[in-house]
Amino acid sequence: MKFADHLSKSDIQKFNQLRRGSKQSKPETKPKKKEYISNQDWEFIMGMHRDTYKKVRGRVRGK
């Protein structure tokens, strides 16, 4: 049996009013500010200016 089967009609109406009221009473959230990312940060994220390595006679050397 469902929970609503055990309640009277007046109790069901009270629950429905509470449920409807909670949807309307929610405060609106403010939009989040966009985070500014500098060019230096973008270069770090993209992997620019990283050390490069080259294999020389079986060993890995910095270029």
Side-chain angles (χ1 to χ4, degrees), residues 33-37:
K33 292 183 178 180
K34 291 185 179 180
E35 184 179 339
Y36 176 75
I37 299 177

Side-chain angles (χ1 to χ4, degrees), residues 11 13 43:
D11 291 336
Q13 288 177 352
E43 289 176 357

Side-chain angles (χ1 to χ4, degrees), residues 29-50:
T29 57
K30 294 181 181 178
K32 293 183 179 179
K33 292 183 178 180
K34 291 185 179 180
E35 184 179 339
Y36 176 75
I37 299 177
S38 66
N39 285 343
Q40 187 176 6
D41 292 336
W42 273 118
E43 289 176 357
F44 177 75
I45 292 168
M46 298 294 284
M48 294 178 67
H49 307 295
R50 289 179 57 187

Side-chain angles (χ1 to χ4, degrees), residues 6-9 12 14 16 18 20-21 27 29 32 36 38 40 47-48 50 58 60 63:
H6 298 285
L7 298 175
S8 65
K9 288 186 179 182
I12 293 172
K14 288 179 186 177
N16 287 337
L18 289 173
R20 285 189 204 122
T29 57
K32 293 183 179 179
Y36 176 75
S38 66
Q40 187 176 6
M48 294 178 67
R50 289 179 57 187
V60 179
K63 193 171 183 182

